[in-house]
Amino acid sequence: MSAERHREIERKFLVRKLPEDLTAFPSTEISQGYLVSLDDGLQVRLRKKRKQYSLTYKRGLGNVREEREVALTDEQFATLWPATEGKRLSKTRYEIPFGDRVVEIDVYSGKHDGLIVAEVEFDDEESAINFQPPDWLGEDVTGDPRYSNQLLAS
Amino acid sequence: MSAERHREIERKFLVRKLPEDLTAFPSTEISQGYLVSLDDGLQVRLRKKRKQYSLTYKRGLGNVREEREVALTDEQFATLWPATEGKRLSKTRYEIPFGDRVVEIDVYSGKHDGLIVAEVEFDDEESAINFQPPDWLGEDVTGDPRYSNQLLAS
Protein backbone atom coordinates (compact mmCIF):
# COMPACT_ATOMS: atom_id res chain seq x y z
CA MET A 1 0.00 0.00 0.00
CA SER A 2 1.08 3.54 -0.65
CA ALA A 3 0.95 4.84 2.91
CA GLU A 4 0.99 8.48 1.86
CA ARG A 5 -1.78 8.35 -0.68
CA HIS A 6 -3.88 5.57 0.79
CA ARG A 7 -3.96 3.77 -2.50
CA GLU A 8 -3.42 0.09 -3.11
CA ILE A 9 -1.90 -0.62 -6.52
CA GLU A 10 -1.88 -4.31 -7.18
CA ARG A 11 -2.12 -6.97 -9.88
CA LYS A 12 -3.45 -10.46 -9.36
CA PHE A 13 -2.46 -13.55 -11.34
CA LEU A 14 -3.25 -17.21 -11.57
CA VAL A 15 -0.26 -19.47 -10.96
CA ARG A 16 0.80 -21.66 -13.89
CA LYS A 17 3.43 -23.58 -11.95
CA LEU A 18 4.32 -23.29 -8.28
CA PRO A 19 8.00 -22.75 -7.43
CA GLU A 20 9.39 -26.21 -6.60
CA ASP A 21 10.90 -24.98 -3.36
CA LEU A 22 7.78 -23.05 -2.31
CA THR A 23 7.95 -24.02 1.34
CA ALA A 24 11.50 -22.71 1.56
CA PHE A 25 10.21 -19.14 1.19
CA PRO A 26 8.88 -17.07 4.09
CA SER A 27 5.24 -17.84 4.74
CA THR A 28 2.45 -16.60 6.99
CA GLU A 29 -0.92 -17.97 8.02
CA ILE A 30 -3.62 -15.36 7.40
CA SER A 31 -7.21 -15.42 8.62
CA GLN A 32 -9.54 -12.72 7.46
CA GLY A 33 -13.20 -11.90 7.78
CA TYR A 34 -15.38 -9.17 6.36
CA LEU A 35 -17.57 -6.79 8.33
CA VAL A 36 -18.75 -5.53 4.97
CA SER A 37 -18.01 -6.68 1.41
CA LEU A 38 -20.00 -5.35 -1.52
CA ASP A 39 -19.95 -6.00 -5.26
CA ASP A 40 -18.69 -2.48 -5.94
CA GLY A 41 -15.49 -3.22 -4.02
CA LEU A 42 -16.41 -1.45 -0.78
CA GLN A 43 -15.14 -3.56 2.06
CA VAL A 44 -14.18 -3.44 5.72
CA ARG A 45 -11.89 -6.37 6.49
CA LEU A 46 -10.45 -7.77 9.68
CA ARG A 47 -7.22 -9.72 9.40
CA LYS A 48 -5.12 -11.82 11.71
CA LYS A 49 -1.56 -12.43 10.54
CA ARG A 50 0.55 -14.20 13.12
CA LYS A 51 -0.15 -12.13 16.25
CA GLN A 52 -0.86 -8.98 14.26
CA TYR A 53 -4.42 -7.76 13.90
CA SER A 54 -5.68 -5.15 11.50
CA LEU A 55 -8.77 -3.45 10.11
CA THR A 56 -8.71 -2.37 6.48
CA TYR A 57 -11.13 -0.19 4.57
CA LYS A 58 -11.06 -0.58 0.78
CA ARG A 59 -13.06 1.14 -1.91
CA GLY A 60 -13.14 0.64 -5.66
CA LEU A 61 -12.31 -2.09 -8.14
CA GLY A 62 -9.41 -2.85 -10.46
CA ASN A 63 -5.70 -2.36 -9.99
CA VAL A 64 -5.91 0.94 -8.06
CA ARG A 65 -8.14 1.09 -4.96
CA GLU A 66 -8.45 3.36 -1.96
CA GLU A 67 -7.08 1.53 1.06
CA ARG A 68 -6.84 2.61 4.69
CA GLU A 69 -5.46 0.22 7.26
CA VAL A 70 -5.03 0.42 11.02
CA ALA A 71 -3.45 -2.06 13.40
CA LEU A 72 -5.86 -3.34 16.05
CA THR A 73 -5.18 -4.51 19.57
CA ASP A 74 -6.18 -8.12 20.27
CA GLU A 75 -9.05 -6.77 22.36
CA GLN A 76 -10.40 -4.59 19.56
CA PHE A 77 -10.10 -7.53 17.18
CA ALA A 78 -11.88 -9.90 19.57
CA THR A 79 -14.83 -7.50 19.89
CA LEU A 80 -15.35 -7.10 16.15
CA TRP A 81 -14.40 -10.55 14.81
CA PRO A 82 -17.68 -12.34 15.68
CA ALA A 83 -19.53 -10.03 13.27
CA THR A 84 -17.61 -11.59 10.34
CA GLU A 85 -19.13 -15.03 10.89
CA GLY A 86 -19.95 -16.66 7.55
CA LYS A 87 -17.67 -14.19 5.72
CA ARG A 88 -14.23 -15.58 6.52
CA LEU A 89 -11.37 -17.21 4.71
CA SER A 90 -7.94 -18.50 5.55
CA LYS A 91 -4.82 -18.88 3.49
CA THR A 92 -1.08 -19.34 3.66
CA ARG A 93 0.85 -16.51 2.04
CA TYR A 94 4.29 -17.24 0.57
CA GLU A 95 6.59 -14.36 -0.35
CA ILE A 96 8.70 -14.98 -3.45
CA PRO A 97 11.25 -12.30 -4.39
CA PHE A 98 11.24 -11.49 -8.11
CA GLY A 99 13.52 -8.70 -9.33
CA ASP A 100 12.73 -5.68 -7.16
CA ARG A 101 9.24 -7.00 -6.43
CA VAL A 102 7.74 -9.64 -4.19
CA VAL A 103 5.23 -12.10 -5.58
CA GLU A 104 2.78 -13.09 -2.85
CA ILE A 105 1.33 -16.55 -3.44
CA ASP A 106 -1.86 -17.23 -1.49
CA VAL A 107 -2.75 -20.89 -0.98
CA TYR A 108 -6.30 -21.08 0.36
CA SER A 109 -7.44 -23.58 2.95
CA GLY A 110 -10.89 -24.52 4.23
CA LYS A 111 -13.78 -24.08 1.80
CA HIS A 112 -11.46 -23.06 -1.03
CA ASP A 113 -8.81 -25.67 -0.32
CA GLY A 114 -6.42 -25.86 -3.23
CA LEU A 115 -7.16 -22.47 -4.76
CA ILE A 116 -3.95 -20.58 -5.48
CA VAL A 117 -3.69 -16.91 -6.47
CA ALA A 118 -0.65 -14.60 -6.72
CA GLU A 119 -0.53 -10.85 -6.06
CA VAL A 120 2.10 -8.22 -6.73
CA GLU A 121 1.97 -4.74 -5.18
CA PHE A 122 3.36 -1.61 -6.79
CA ASP A 123 4.21 1.94 -5.78
CA ASP A 124 2.61 3.52 -8.84
CA GLU A 125 0.36 2.67 -11.75
CA GLU A 126 3.12 2.84 -14.33
CA SER A 127 5.10 0.15 -12.56
CA ALA A 128 1.96 -1.97 -12.38
CA ILE A 129 1.31 -1.63 -16.10
CA ASN A 130 4.92 -2.26 -17.10
CA PHE A 131 5.43 -5.25 -14.83
CA GLN A 132 6.52 -8.38 -16.74
CA PRO A 133 5.45 -11.39 -14.70
CA PRO A 134 7.70 -14.45 -14.40
CA ASP A 135 6.77 -17.32 -16.72
CA TRP A 136 5.47 -19.40 -13.83
CA LEU A 137 2.61 -16.95 -13.38
CA GLY A 138 -0.48 -17.38 -15.56
CA GLU A 139 -3.48 -15.29 -16.55
CA ASP A 140 -3.86 -11.76 -15.12
CA VAL A 141 -7.12 -11.84 -13.12
CA THR A 142 -6.91 -8.36 -11.57
CA GLY A 143 -10.46 -7.22 -10.85
CA ASP A 144 -11.94 -10.58 -11.87
CA PRO A 145 -14.76 -11.07 -9.35
CA ARG A 146 -14.22 -14.86 -9.32
CA TYR A 147 -10.95 -14.30 -7.51
CA SER A 148 -11.99 -11.43 -5.25
CA ASN A 149 -11.60 -12.14 -1.58
CA GLN A 150 -15.07 -10.80 -0.88
CA LEU A 151 -16.53 -13.52 -3.10
CA LEU A 152 -14.23 -16.19 -1.70
CA ALA A 153 -15.36 -15.27 1.81
CA SER A 154 -19.08 -15.51 1.06
CA MET B 1 -25.62 -1.11 24.48
CA SER B 2 -25.79 -4.51 26.07
CA ALA B 3 -22.07 -5.16 26.31
CA GLU B 4 -22.50 -8.87 26.94
CA ARG B 5 -24.87 -9.62 24.12
CA HIS B 6 -23.72 -6.99 21.64
CA ARG B 7 -27.26 -5.82 21.11
CA GLU B 8 -28.47 -2.26 21.00
CA ILE B 9 -32.06 -1.92 22.24
CA GLU B 10 -33.31 1.57 21.61
CA ARG B 11 -36.37 3.64 20.79
CA LYS B 12 -36.34 6.91 18.91
CA PHE B 13 -38.85 9.73 19.29
CA LEU B 14 -39.61 13.12 17.88
CA VAL B 15 -39.57 15.90 20.48
CA ARG B 16 -42.89 17.69 21.02
CA LYS B 17 -41.48 20.31 23.36
CA LEU B 18 -37.88 20.80 24.45
CA PRO B 19 -37.20 21.01 28.20
CA GLU B 20 -37.03 24.72 29.02
CA ASP B 21 -33.77 24.32 30.86
CA LEU B 22 -32.20 22.13 28.15
CA THR B 23 -28.77 23.73 28.30
CA ALA B 24 -28.58 23.06 32.04
CA PHE B 25 -28.28 19.31 31.35
CA PRO B 26 -25.01 17.60 30.50
CA SER B 27 -24.23 17.87 26.80
CA THR B 28 -21.62 16.61 24.38
CA GLU B 29 -20.59 17.59 20.87
CA ILE B 30 -20.60 14.52 18.63
CA SER B 31 -19.16 14.22 15.13
CA GLN B 32 -19.71 11.01 13.24
CA GLY B 33 -19.01 9.68 9.79
CA TYR B 34 -19.83 6.44 8.05
CA LEU B 35 -17.36 4.11 6.36
CA VAL B 36 -20.40 2.13 5.29
CA SER B 37 -24.13 2.78 5.68
CA LEU B 38 -26.66 0.66 3.82
CA ASP B 39 -30.45 0.66 3.60
CA ASP B 40 -30.65 -2.68 5.41
CA GLY B 41 -29.10 -1.10 8.51
CA LEU B 42 -25.57 -2.43 8.04
CA GLN B 43 -23.18 0.31 9.05
CA VAL B 44 -19.64 0.97 10.17
CA ARG B 45 -19.51 4.30 11.96
CA LEU B 46 -16.68 6.45 13.26
CA ARG B 47 -17.49 8.79 16.10
CA LYS B 48 -15.69 11.58 17.92
CA LYS B 49 -17.19 12.52 21.28
CA ARG B 50 -15.09 15.02 23.18
CA LYS B 51 -11.62 13.43 22.96
CA GLN B 52 -13.03 9.94 22.70
CA TYR B 53 -12.94 8.11 19.38
CA SER B 54 -14.80 4.96 18.50
CA LEU B 55 -15.67 2.59 15.67
CA THR B 56 -19.09 0.93 15.77
CA TYR B 57 -20.45 -1.91 13.67
CA LYS B 58 -24.24 -2.15 13.53
CA ARG B 59 -26.48 -4.61 11.73
CA GLY B 60 -30.24 -4.79 11.40
CA LEU B 61 -33.19 -2.42 11.68
CA GLY B 62 -35.79 -1.63 14.32
CA ASN B 63 -35.49 -1.42 18.06
CA VAL B 64 -33.05 -4.33 18.49
CA ARG B 65 -29.83 -4.29 16.46
CA GLU B 66 -26.48 -6.04 16.63
CA GLU B 67 -23.91 -3.52 17.81
CA ARG B 68 -20.18 -3.93 18.37
CA GLU B 69 -18.12 -0.94 19.43
CA VAL B 70 -14.41 -0.42 20.05
CA ALA B 71 -12.57 2.62 21.28
CA LEU B 72 -10.01 3.95 18.79
CA THR B 73 -6.79 5.79 19.39
CA ASP B 74 -6.61 9.25 17.85
CA GLU B 75 -4.14 7.85 15.34
CA GLN B 76 -6.46 5.02 14.26
CA PHE B 77 -9.29 7.54 13.95
CA ALA B 78 -7.21 9.96 11.90
CA THR B 79 -6.29 7.21 9.42
CA LEU B 80 -9.88 6.10 8.82
CA TRP B 81 -11.82 9.38 9.12
CA PRO B 82 -11.02 10.76 5.62
CA ALA B 83 -12.89 7.79 4.09
CA THR B 84 -16.15 9.12 5.59
CA GLU B 85 -16.05 12.32 3.54
CA GLY B 86 -19.55 13.21 2.35
CA LYS B 87 -21.12 10.85 4.91
CA ARG B 88 -20.78 12.89 8.09
CA LEU B 89 -23.02 14.64 10.57
CA SER B 90 -22.62 16.56 13.77
CA LYS B 91 -24.94 17.09 16.70
CA THR B 92 -25.11 18.15 20.30
CA ARG B 93 -26.38 15.42 22.61
CA TYR B 94 -28.17 16.44 25.82
CA GLU B 95 -28.77 13.83 28.52
CA ILE B 96 -32.06 14.25 30.38
CA PRO B 97 -32.73 11.88 33.31
CA PHE B 98 -36.27 10.46 33.27
CA GLY B 99 -37.17 7.89 35.93
CA ASP B 100 -34.49 5.19 35.75
CA ARG B 101 -33.74 6.07 32.12
CA VAL B 102 -31.86 8.77 30.30
CA VAL B 103 -33.46 10.53 27.35
CA GLU B 104 -30.76 11.57 24.88
CA ILE B 105 -31.81 14.60 22.85
CA ASP B 106 -29.78 15.09 19.67
CA VAL B 107 -29.82 18.60 18.22
CA TYR B 108 -28.29 18.45 14.75
CA SER B 109 -26.07 21.15 13.31
CA GLY B 110 -24.72 21.75 9.81
CA LYS B 111 -26.82 20.43 6.93
CA HIS B 112 -29.62 19.32 9.26
CA ASP B 113 -29.51 22.40 11.46
CA GLY B 114 -32.60 22.47 13.67
CA LEU B 115 -33.48 18.79 13.44
CA ILE B 116 -34.11 17.33 16.89
CA VAL B 117 -34.50 13.64 17.72
CA ALA B 118 -34.58 11.83 21.08
CA GLU B 119 -33.35 8.32 21.88
CA VAL B 120 -33.76 6.07 24.88
CA GLU B 121 -31.66 2.94 25.40
CA PHE B 122 -32.85 -0.16 27.24
CA ASP B 123 -31.33 -3.30 28.72
CA ASP B 124 -33.96 -5.62 27.28
CA GLU B 125 -36.81 -5.67 24.79
CA GLU B 126 -39.52 -5.83 27.44
CA SER B 127 -38.35 -2.59 29.01
CA ALA B 128 -38.30 -0.99 25.57
CA ILE B 129 -41.85 -2.09 24.82
CA ASN B 130 -43.19 -1.05 28.23
CA PHE B 131 -41.50 2.33 28.31
CA GLN B 132 -43.94 5.21 28.77
CA PRO B 133 -42.34 8.33 27.31
CA PRO B 134 -42.71 11.70 29.03
CA ASP B 135 -45.38 13.94 27.51
CA TRP B 136 -42.78 16.27 26.03
CA LEU B 137 -41.73 13.50 23.63
CA GLY B 138 -43.73 13.05 20.44
CA GLU B 139 -44.16 10.37 17.79
CA ASP B 140 -42.18 7.11 18.07
CA VAL B 141 -40.00 7.04 14.93
CA THR B 142 -37.93 3.95 15.78
CA GLY B 143 -36.78 2.38 12.51
CA ASP B 144 -38.24 5.24 10.44
CA PRO B 145 -35.64 5.70 7.69
CA ARG B 146 -36.25 9.47 7.58
CA TYR B 147 -34.60 9.76 10.97
CA SER B 148 -31.85 7.20 10.52
CA ASN B 149 -28.40 8.59 10.94
CA GLN B 150 -27.25 6.83 7.78
CA LEU B 151 -29.78 8.87 5.78
CA LEU B 152 -28.98 12.07 7.66
CA ALA B 153 -25.31 11.58 6.85
CA SER B 154 -25.82 11.10 3.12
Side-chain angles (χ1 to χ4, degrees):
Chain A
M1 182 183 77
S2 161
E4 284 307 299
R5 301 165 74 186
H6 296 288
R7 294 197 308 164
E8 175 192 61
I9 306 172
E10 179 176 278
R11 285 175 67 186
K12 192 177 284 194
F13 299 91
L14 299 185
V15 175
R16 204 172 59 78
K17 183 174 179 302
L18 279 176
E20 280 179 19
D21 51 352
L22 182 65
T23 57
F25 292 97
S27 68
T28 319
E29 300 295 319
I30 295 177
S31 295
Q32 56 197 43
Y34 294 83
L35 293 177
V36 178
S37 67
L38 304 180
D39 290 343
D40 63 2
L42 183 64
Q43 59 178 239
V44 181
R45 181 190 75 192
L46 300 180
R47 176 180 271 183
K48 180 184 176 184
K49 190 176 171 181
R50 293 196 190 90
K51 297 285 182 189
Q52 295 177 313
Y53 303 95
S54 60
L55 180 147
T56 306
Y57 167 89
K58 295 193 187 192
R59 180 162 51 183
L61 293 170
N63 65 350
V64 181
R65 307 174 68 190
E66 181 179 354
E67 176 174 307
R68 294 175 182 276
E69 182 164 300
V70 294
L72 296 182
T73 65
D74 50 1
E75 192 181 12
Q76 289 173 320
F77 183 84
T79 299
L80 296 171
W81 181 249
T84 66
E85 193 180 341
K87 292 169 288 181
R88 295 176 186 159
L89 57 83
S90 56
K91 57 191 180 183
T92 304
R93 170 164 289 182
Y94 296 90
E95 297 181 14
I96 320 293
F98 174 71
D100 55 352
R101 303 285 162 204
V102 173
V103 179
E104 298 172 334
I105 298 184
D106 287 341
V107 179
Y108 287 77
S109 46
K111 187 167 57 170
H112 302 288
D113 198 24
L115 176 66
I116 299 172
V117 176
E119 292 180 350
V120 185
E121 284 201 19
F122 303 93
D123 297 327
D124 55 71
E125 286 184 71
E126 197 181 348
S127 304
I129 292 165
N130 292 334
F131 176 70
Q132 295 294 325
D135 62 3
W136 49 269
L137 287 181
E139 186 186 352
D140 183 329
V141 294
T142 309
D144 185 328
R146 289 174 299 169
Y147 301 100
S148 70
N149 278 320
Q150 55 262 47
L151 185 67
L152 294 174
S154 64
Chain B
M1 183 182 78
S2 161
E4 284 306 300
R5 301 165 74 187
H6 295 290
R7 295 197 307 164
E8 175 192 59
I9 306 173
E10 179 175 278
R11 286 175 66 186
K12 192 176 284 193
F13 299 91
L14 298 185
V15 175
R16 203 173 58 78
K17 182 174 179 303
L18 278 175
E20 281 178 19
D21 50 352
L22 182 65
T23 57
F25 292 97
S27 68
T28 319
E29 300 296 319
I30 294 176
S31 294
Q32 55 198 43
Y34 293 84
L35 292 178
V36 178
S37 67
L38 304 180
D39 290 343
D40 63 2
L42 182 64
Q43 57 178 239
V44 181
R45 181 190 75 194
L46 300 180
R47 176 181 271 183
K48 180 185 177 185
K49 189 176 172 181
R50 295 196 188 91
K51 296 285 181 189
Q52 295 177 314
Y53 304 95
S54 60
L55 179 148
T56 306
Y57 168 89
K58 295 193 187 193
R59 180 163 50 183
L61 293 170
N63 66 350
V64 182
R65 307 174 67 190
E66 181 179 354
E67 176 174 307
R68 294 175 181 277
E69 181 164 302
V70 294
L72 296 183
T73 65
D74 52 358
E75 192 181 11
Q76 288 174 321
F77 183 85
T79 299
L80 295 172
W81 181 250
T84 67
E85 193 179 345
K87 292 170 289 181
R88 295 175 187 161
L89 58 84
S90 56
K91 57 191 181 184
T92 304
R93 169 164 289 182
Y94 297 90
E95 296 180 13
I96 320 294
F98 175 70
D100 56 350
R101 303 285 161 203
V102 173
V103 179
E104 297 172 336
I105 298 183
D106 288 341
V107 179
Y108 288 78
S109 47
K111 188 167 55 169
H112 303 286
D113 198 23
L115 176 67
I116 299 173
V117 176
E119 291 180 349
V120 185
E121 285 201 20
F122 303 93
D123 297 326
D124 54 72
E125 284 184 74
E126 198 180 348
S127 304
I129 292 165
N130 292 333
F131 176 70
Q132 295 294 326
D135 62 1
W136 48 270
L137 287 182
E139 185 186 351
D140 184 330
V141 294
T142 309
D144 184 328
R146 288 175 299 169
Y147 300 100
S148 69
N149 277 320
Q150 55 263 47
L151 186 66
L152 295 173
S154 64

